[in-house]
Amino acid sequence: MSTRVGLVQIGNSFSGQHYFPYSVGGLQAYAMRHLEHPQDFEFLLPIYRRVPVAEAVAELRDAEIACFSVYTWNVRRSLAIAEALKRQSPETIIAVGGPQVPRQDRPWEVEAFHRDHPFVDIAIHGMGKGERSFLPLLENSRSRNWATVPSASFLDGGKLRQTLPAKGFVGDELTSLVPSPYQTGVFDALMAANPTEQWIFVWETDRNCPFSCEFCGWGDLETKPVQWSLEYVFRDIDWMAKHRMNYVFCCNANFGLLPRDVEIARYIARVKMETGFPRGLGVQDTKNVKRRALEVRKILREAFQSPVVISLQSVDPTVLKNIRRDNISLQDFLDIQREFSALGVKTMTDLILALPGETY
């Protein structure tokens, strides 16, 4: 009999649309490719939007493992669902991962998390390599031997146990090991079950961030970006057009950072002009905007009218030192603003209040 796996990634709605649960969908795609006996596991339809706790528990009632991807916008509801599910089905394994799980190098926070949430059987730490932990989590679910799951923490006889961090992906490993949940059909059943849903395509062409800003979850990575092949990326774009995606959110940390981002921009702009889809595209522009980002925006300006974000976060030197952040010079900022303005491209900026070192 197969082990039933429930996946939960609750996203916010946007203009009446919902995000694909990309993180858990990617985990499922990876597991189905690499499990020794994939037929031994049955994945339930993921929970992807806000529903009442009781409704979510009912949807997960048949799950023997329930995995929650927790972010700042869903962590309280996700944990409420997990706790209610554990009360109803004590034998169900509850696993959590995502940015709201404490960092593994802060064991006092990890222990407090487990003490405060005793219904959590295992927590997975870190970003950018969750697939490395998800596979052995499934493979050891019968024995519940979590010691072989990397980047994990759990209580063992009341004592906190932590395993060694998982290795990140390097070189061409993303292309060779990590399949697209779109191209592999992971979301086909979800779309069929929700035929009137307007989906937001969550798009990833590379992973990680070379910057180490203290206020950002990506700052934990401090590593060079790794990339999927251009062929892989272009197939995802073709999927967007074929399935008539209205809006695409690119969750790269720094779109426009890599030289190949110019080629990617050309391809998606051409597909939009030829097919009409995707209708909208949002990207997180590379930090400290450089000329390549300007070239990318020139390519995208006719197909997509989304604004460019030229982030500052703060202009206080002490704060910038505290958060390990360097801004572009004011002159560069003004020059780039003028160039975007001449192109008719709207710009905006970010200021984050109450960063370390700020005063009233």
Side-chain angles (χ1 to χ4, degrees):
M1 185 176 179
S2 59
T3 299
R4 293 178 293 275
V5 183
L7 300 174
V8 183
Q9 183 186 348
I10 299 170
N12 290 326
S13 61
F14 176 78
S15 298
Q17 306 169 83
H18 285 92
Y19 291 91
F20 277 115
Y22 174 75
S23 293
V24 297
L27 295 178
Q28 179 179 337
Y30 183 87
M32 295 308 293
R33 173 175 290 186
H34 297 287
L35 282 166
E36 185 175 356
H37 300 290
Q39 69 278 6
D40 291 345
F41 294 87
E42 175 190 350
F43 289 89
L44 307 179
L45 288 182
I47 296 175
Y48 66 92
R49 59 186 176 87
R50 291 179 181 273
V51 296
V53 170
E55 182 178 332
V57 171
E59 291 186 36
L60 294 167
R61 63 183 180 275
D62 294 329
E64 293 160 270
I65 310 171
C67 303
F68 295 80
S69 183
V70 292
Y71 298 71
T72 184
W73 54 81
N74 72 19
V75 61
R76 291 179 65 186
R77 184 175 297 259
S78 297
L79 292 174
I81 294 168
E83 185 175 20
L85 178 62
K86 193 69 167 181
R87 281 199 306 268
Q88 178 177 295
S89 305
E91 293 304 311
T92 300
I93 296 169
I94 303 294
V96 298
Q100 296 310 116
V101 175
R103 285 171 45 163
Q104 198 170 14
D105 60 354
R106 296 174 179 173
W108 60 93
E109 293 183 3
V110 176
E111 179 151 11
F113 177 84
H114 282 284
R115 302 294 179 194
D116 292 341
H117 307 97
F119 51 88
V120 172
D121 294 291
I122 179 171
I124 304 299
H125 304 266
M127 295 174 60
K129 51 192 178 182
E131 294 90 347
R132 302 281 203 194
S133 301
F134 187 63
L135 187 66
L137 169 65
L138 296 183
E139 291 174 332
N140 290 280
S141 58
R142 293 289 186 187
S143 66
R144 304 196 181 204
N145 178 20
W146 308 134
T148 59
V149 179
S151 295
S153 66
F154 52 94
L155 294 179
D156 180 12
K159 185 176 181 179
L160 177 69
R161 303 288 186 186
Q162 292 198 81
T163 62
L164 293 175
K167 294 181 179 179
F169 295 100
V170 296
D172 63 355
E173 285 185 333
L174 283 183
T175 298
S176 62
L177 298 177
V178 183
S180 165
Y182 305 105
Q183 298 170 34
T184 53
V186 163
F187 294 132
D188 289 357
L190 182 65
M191 295 170 69
N194 299 274
T196 63
E197 186 68 87
Q198 296 294 312
W199 297 103
I200 299 175
F201 188 105
V202 181
W203 188 33
E204 196 179 22
T205 72
D206 62 59
R207 189 178 283 186
N208 299 339
C209 180
F211 304 107
S212 55
C213 306
E214 284 287 345
F215 58 84
C216 179
W218 273 308
D220 293 346
L221 298 174
E222 298 185 51
T223 187
K224 294 180 180 179
V226 289
Q227 310 160 34
W228 280 275
S229 70
L230 282 176
E231 180 185 4
Y232 174 108
V233 172
F234 293 166
R235 286 201 303 267
D236 261 1
I237 295 173
D238 293 339
W239 194 99
M240 301 173 195
K242 179 181 178 181
H243 292 83
R244 303 169 70 86
M245 292 291 107
N246 282 325
Y247 187 77
V248 172
F249 175 70
C250 180
C251 55
N252 291 12
N254 301 278
F255 193 75
L257 177 69
L258 303 176
R260 73 185 202 139
D261 288 343
V262 174
E263 191 172 352
I264 294 172
R266 288 197 183 105
Y267 191 88
I268 194 170
R270 185 172 74 247
V271 169
K272 162 64 184 297
M273 301 303 286
E274 291 175 353
T275 69
F277 294 94
R279 289 177 175 162
L281 170 66
V283 303
Q284 298 175 117
D285 298 279
T286 183
K287 316 300 184 287
N288 297 353
V289 179
K290 303 295 184 183
R291 294 295 145 183
R292 187 177 303 122
L294 182 62
E295 184 178 359
V296 165
R297 283 299 183 166
K298 286 180 180 178
I299 295 168
L300 296 177
R301 74 183 187 276
E302 292 184 11
F304 307 100
Q305 296 300 318
S306 56
V308 176
V309 180
I310 308 176
S311 299
L312 292 177
Q313 275 78 58
S314 177
V315 293
D316 185 295
T318 300
V319 173
L320 293 173
K321 181 179 178 180
N322 290 343
I323 64 175
R324 296 196 292 177
R325 168 77 183 195
D326 292 319
N327 286 334
I328 60 175
S329 71
L330 181 59
Q331 189 58 55
D332 284 344
F333 185 92
L334 294 173
D335 290 345
I336 291 168
Q337 284 275 18
R338 291 190 188 100
E339 292 193 52
F340 279 128
S341 180
L343 290 170
V345 177
K346 296 178 180 180
T347 60
M348 58 187 291
T349 192
D350 291 332
L351 290 173
I352 302 178
L353 300 182
L355 289 171
E358 283 184 344
T359 67
Y360 283 110

